[in-house]
Amino acid sequence: MDTQKQLDEFQQRIDNGEKIEPKDWMPERYRKQLIRIMSQHAHSEIVGMLPESNWITRAPSLKRKMVLLAKVQDEAGHGLYLYSGTETLGVERRELVEDYIYGNAKYSSIFNYPTLTYADICVIGWLVDGAAIVNQTMLAKSSYGPYARANIRICKEESFHKKQGYEMLAKMTSGTPEQKRMAQDAVNRWWWPTLMMFGPHDTDSPNSAELIKWGVKTKTNDELRQSFVDRMVMEAEAIDVTLPDPDMKYNEKTGHWEFGEIPWDEFWSVVKGDGPMNRERIKARRKAYEEGEWVREAAMQYARKKKLKEGKAS
Amino acid sequence: MSTFDTIPQTRKEALIEILLRLGDDRLIHGHRLSEWAGHGPELEEDLALANVALDMIGHASSLYAYAAELDGKEDEDYYAYFRDDIDFKNIAMVELPRGDFAFTMARQFLFSAFSYFLYDKLIKTVDDEQFNGMLQKHFKEIKYHLRHSREWVFRLGDGTDESHKRTQDAFDEIWMYTGEMFDMDEADKAAIKHNLFVDVTSFKDEWKNLVNETLEEATLSVPDYDQYMFSGSRQGRHTEHLGPLLAQMQFLRRSHPDAEWK
């Protein structure tokens, strides 16, 4: 059991803005929360490769094909160092991976929606990476050192992805009538699920207070969502695309854009596993994992044999 | 006589033909590798396969861009998106479906070994500055592709019984498509005359030695070099696998030919 003295000292370090490092003492609950958040973040990067890789082979120019391939590669990289970061808390990657492909561990619900046209790829870059950046910019100041550092690196790459998505979307919204139609349709489908990425309202978010107290997060879900919306309204206007919210209006007093009611029933349904692509995403990841088993075993076996041979030789 | 077996008459024509042959091999192979994105056997390999795919598509793109400049086409995309199956000049080996990880690695090893010797010789021969510059840049990456796939051939061949069997099956299956790498036709000869290409048969023994050594160390048997070999892809005589690949790759671009996508 963590003693009160330890807890107080820990809290003092957090309040002083110190970073917690892997070998430092930390409350069990802090460790658990971080494992949960960091591994969910890692799983999201990995599952997030699926809706995007759906368009690599069909990308409409060689440049766009390379941009998308590089983006998906970056996501594999993010997943890799987030898993490594989580391992500093005393869990193994294998265990974490099996938790989401066979168990109940979560990943971002946004990836349970399908990418229907190439415009979806642009909108994911703009909105989904845009939302991720808002979140990760905050997490880059997280109290846990390895997580903060991972987010600094991730944010740099995500900003690049967002820029590329937004630029291509702008080309589509100023392009042919078919391109404009695809672009607007993609925005219509992704807007609300993107707002859900910030999680439930603060009043329905049981973990928030604790995470803020421990400096894992520094802003609430609703604060982050609002700053995202304020920014996106301007960006949408600049490229002549309409956000599908008839209730959106500017509040002169607060200086913020007020938006309509998020479809929370859909959010909870997708979180619980009933979204358009939940089953397929898990099935695809499980298939890759199981079909890769013999490869991983071969690599381990080869390494063992090699070690044995080297042992004999010396 | 094949429909497209026209012999390049000028230095420029010869150069365009070589750029497209090299480019097509790389684009189609890169496409097959890119199909692994998100589905690799481990995260490290998702990264590595995407990396190699990206290199290959990048190489194709720069080779095409130079061809477009010489050929008066708008840009590199013309060659990838607006040609039909029978216009593509890649060898059949790279268009075969991705198969399992053993197949992917066996193919990458055989092709990267070929590319390694080819580029090594080309760099010493090609007297076109722009082309040679590209080759030198790509050669560095080819060395990595060869190392990466060769290490996997060792691991898989000499790993478990299952990996050994899968890898042996992969080499046996691909073997009849390896002959095309060393086929020479009139277009190659025309390019050689202009110091833009080399006699590929001149390094066949070096390639064989590397393949033999690698397979032997991986405890795999080397299939028969004298068996039936598929041929004709360089002249547009492909397998049935290229059509569906191109249908997928080209559909969006061709559906909206007036749209800007770059």
Side-chain angles (χ1 to χ4, degrees), chain A residues 46 49-50 53 55-67 69-70 72-77 79-80 83 93 118 168 171-172 176 178-179 182 284-285 287-289 291-299 301-302 305 309, chain B residues 27 31 34-35 37-44 46-47 50-51 53-54 57-58 60-61 64 76-77 80-81 100-102 151-152 154-156 158-160 162-163 166-167 217 248-253 256 258-262:
Chain A
I46 302 310
M49 294 165 78
L50 297 173
S53 67
W55 279 91
I56 291 173
T57 55
R58 294 178 291 165
S61 68
L62 291 176
K63 179 186 160 192
R64 291 292 152 187
K65 191 188 282 291
M66 289 190 275
V67 163
L69 197 45
V72 172
Q73 189 190 14
D74 283 348
E75 275 144 19
L80 198 60
Y83 280 127
R93 197 209 301 185
Y118 178 71
M168 186 59 219
K171 279 197 179 124
M172 292 188 77
T176 65
E178 293 85 1
Q179 282 179 306
M182 280 189 250
R285 287 308 308 157
K287 186 166 180 276
Y289 186 72
E291 284 179 358
E293 186 69 41
W294 69 268
V295 178
R296 297 189 297 273
E297 269 174 23
Q301 182 66 15
Y302 178 75
K305 283 186 194 174
K309 265 186 220 161
Chain B
L27 175 66
H31 181 104
S34 79
E35 292 174 346
H39 307 281
E42 58 187 11
L43 213 36
E44 287 78 354
D46 266 315
L47 269 169
N51 188 23
L54 200 50
I57 295 168
S61 181
Y64 287 162
E76 64 279 8
D77 285 346
Y81 291 94
D100 66 5
F101 189 71
E151 279 167 7
W152 271 110
F154 292 145
R155 283 187 206 116
L156 298 178
D158 194 16
T160 62
E162 182 181 3
S163 70
R166 280 175 183 266
T167 312
E217 191 177 331
Q248 191 180 44
M249 185 168 81
Q250 298 176 335
F251 104 91
L252 177 59
R253 184 62 180 266
H256 306 278
D258 301 327
E260 171 61 50
W261 293 111
K262 264 181 106 175

Side-chain angles (χ1 to χ4, degrees), chain B:
Chain B
M1 179 85 178
S2 156
T3 330
F4 297 92
D5 211 3
T6 45
I7 303 165
Q9 296 302 315
T10 61
R11 179 179 162 87
K12 189 171 93 173
E13 281 173 10
L15 179 52
I16 292 169
E17 182 70 19
I18 292 301
L19 291 168
L20 295 183
R21 287 179 178 204
L22 292 177
D24 290 350
D25 278 349
R26 277 143 194 88
L27 175 66
I28 303 300
H29 198 174
H31 181 104
R32 286 301 186 208
L33 288 169
S34 79
E35 292 174 346
W36 279 98
H39 307 281
E42 58 187 11
L43 213 36
E44 287 78 354
E45 274 316 294
D46 266 315
L47 269 169
L49 289 166
N51 188 23
V52 179
L54 200 50
D55 285 346
M56 288 204 180
I57 295 168
H59 296 177
S61 181
S62 51
L63 292 161
Y64 287 162
Y66 189 26
E69 193 184 309
L70 296 165
D71 202 11
K73 302 287 187 231
E74 193 183 337
D75 59 23
E76 64 279 8
D77 285 346
Y78 167 79
Y79 299 106
Y81 291 94
F82 296 102
R83 285 184 302 154
D84 294 325
D85 318 33
I86 50 177
D87 304 318
F88 272 78
K89 302 161 193 297
N90 59 281
I91 52 169
M93 186 166 89
V94 298
E95 73 203 31
L96 302 174
R98 77 169 154 111
D100 66 5
F101 189 71
F103 188 91
T104 291
M105 281 304 144
R107 165 165 60 191
Q108 199 199 312
F109 165 67
L110 293 167
F111 182 73
S112 298
F114 170 76
S115 301
Y116 173 82
F117 293 115
L118 175 63
Y119 275 56
D120 181 50
K121 306 286 182 284
L122 283 176
I123 287 166
K124 292 167 190 148
T125 308
V126 167
D127 72 354
D128 180 280
E129 204 180 326
Q130 193 171 340
F131 184 24
N132 203 313
M134 266 178 221
L135 294 166
Q136 289 179 44
K137 189 168 167 285
H138 301 173
F139 188 48
K140 287 182 197 146
E141 293 169 345
I142 288 169
K143 286 181 194 165
Y144 163 73
H145 304 165
L146 177 59
R147 196 173 65 234
H148 171 250
S149 55
R150 190 161 180 259
E151 279 167 7
W152 271 110
V153 171
F154 292 145
R155 283 187 206 116
L156 298 178
D158 194 16
T160 62
D161 289 347
E162 182 181 3
S163 70
H164 177 86
K165 183 177 182 307
R166 280 175 183 266
T167 312
Q168 186 66 59
D169 288 350
F171 277 104
D172 292 345
E173 199 183 324
I174 299 169
W175 210 252
M176 68 174 263
Y177 300 97
T178 56
E180 265 193 329
M181 292 189 284
F182 298 98
D183 283 349
M184 291 284 288
D185 67 5
E186 293 305 317
D188 294 318
K189 287 174 195 157
I192 289 170
K193 259 198 293 193
H194 292 291
N195 289 327
L196 294 167
F197 203 57
V198 291
D199 179 353
V200 285
T201 59
S202 69
F203 58 83
K204 191 172 183 180
D205 284 341
E206 286 176 84
W207 177 82
K208 270 187 178 176
N209 288 340
L210 179 64
V211 170
N212 293 348
E213 277 169 24
T214 304
L215 267 63
E216 196 183 322
E217 191 177 331
T219 72
L220 295 161
S221 7
V222 179
D224 180 6
Y225 284 104
D226 296 325
Q227 65 166 275
Y228 162 73
M229 290 287 168
F230 184 96
S231 72
S233 298
R234 294 257 187 247
Q235 294 81 32
R237 300 293 187 247
H238 290 277
T239 68
E240 288 180 350
H241 301 293
L242 184 63
L245 182 156
L246 294 179
Q248 191 180 44
M249 185 168 81
Q250 298 176 335
F251 104 91
L252 177 59
R253 184 62 180 266
R254 286 201 184 197
S255 307
H256 306 278
D258 301 327
E260 171 61 50
W261 293 111
K262 264 181 106 175

Side-chain angles (χ1 to χ4, degrees), chain A residues 103-138:
Chain A
N104 291 316
K106 301 278 184 274
Y107 55 87
S108 179
S109 284
I110 195 74
F111 302 118
N112 291 317
Y113 293 86
T115 46
L116 302 182
T117 72
Y118 178 71
D120 291 44
I121 296 304
C122 311
V123 171
I124 288 181
W126 175 43
L127 292 181
V128 176
D129 288 334
I133 291 166
V134 170
N135 213 6
Q136 288 155 6
T137 305
M138 168 194 70

Side-chain angles (χ1 to χ4, degrees), chain A residues 129-184:
Chain A
D129 288 334
I133 291 166
V134 170
N135 213 6
Q136 288 155 6
T137 305
M138 168 194 70
L139 293 169
K141 299 184 193 98
S142 170
S143 58
Y144 189 55
Y147 194 38
R149 291 188 288 273
N151 276 295
I152 290 171
R153 186 163 160 194
I154 290 170
C155 271
K156 276 186 200 150
E157 291 178 353
E158 298 284 23
S159 302
F160 190 55
H161 298 160
K162 187 198 164 200
K163 186 169 163 273
Q164 288 169 325
Y166 187 60
E167 273 174 11
M168 186 59 219
L169 190 67
K171 279 197 179 124
M172 292 188 77
T173 58
S174 61
T176 65
E178 293 85 1
Q179 282 179 306
K180 286 180 186 167
R181 181 171 166 261
M182 280 189 250
Q184 184 61 55

